Amino acid sequence: MAKRIVESFVDDLDGSDAEGTTRFTLDGTSYEIDLSGSNRGKLEKALAPYINKARAVRADRGVRGRRAGSGSARAVSREKSTEIRQWAKAQGLPVSERGRIAATVMEQYEAAH
């Protein structure tokens, strides 16, 4: 017995056959949508006046997929990192000489200061 599995790529707007996935970013949020050639053309036509006047910018690689200021990921200066490491060692907490300081150590330091 033979089996054939067919995977359909469907346009998210109208359910027709999609030709590909379109990715775009607006105000720091990335989106993707599967579109037919016709709907992709409509999107490009609608955005063209804005794209033609806009400036292209390179993606910010420093945040590695996180928006700046979100979550517990905080940039800490070298001086502050050194101070935190010295404090943690004096408290008997495990802390590495280099690399990221554990969030639990950071929280304990913040609570003590």
Side-chain angles (χ1 to χ4, degrees), residues 3-101:
K3 189 186 287 189
R4 178 179 291 177
I5 298 172
V6 178
E7 184 176 331
S8 297
F9 201 45
V10 179
D11 185 301
D12 290 329
L13 290 179
D14 61 17
S16 64
D17 290 339
E19 291 183 11
T21 300
T22 299
R23 292 176 180 85
F24 60 97
T25 301
L26 181 64
D27 293 336
T29 301
S30 296
Y31 301 91
E32 65 179 37
I33 187 169
D34 299 329
L35 296 173
S36 64
S38 172
N39 283 334
R40 167 74 188 233
K42 290 176 187 176
L43 177 63
E44 289 174 350
K45 185 177 179 182
L47 293 176
Y50 303 98
I51 292 172
N52 289 334
K53 297 293 182 178
R55 295 176 299 279
V57 295
R58 299 184 83 187
D60 183 8
R61 292 192 167 157
V63 287
R64 293 189 179 216
R66 292 185 182 165
R67 284 191 278 182
S70 68
S72 63
R74 291 179 281 202
V76 179
S77 69
R78 286 181 190 238
E79 294 80 19
K80 182 85 168 186
S81 293
T82 301
E83 182 180 320
I84 294 169
R85 287 179 205 285
Q86 289 173 350
W87 174 86
K89 287 178 187 175
Q91 302 303 310
L93 299 172
V95 64
S96 63
E97 293 295 322
R98 300 182 335 177
R100 190 178 72 79
I101 300 172

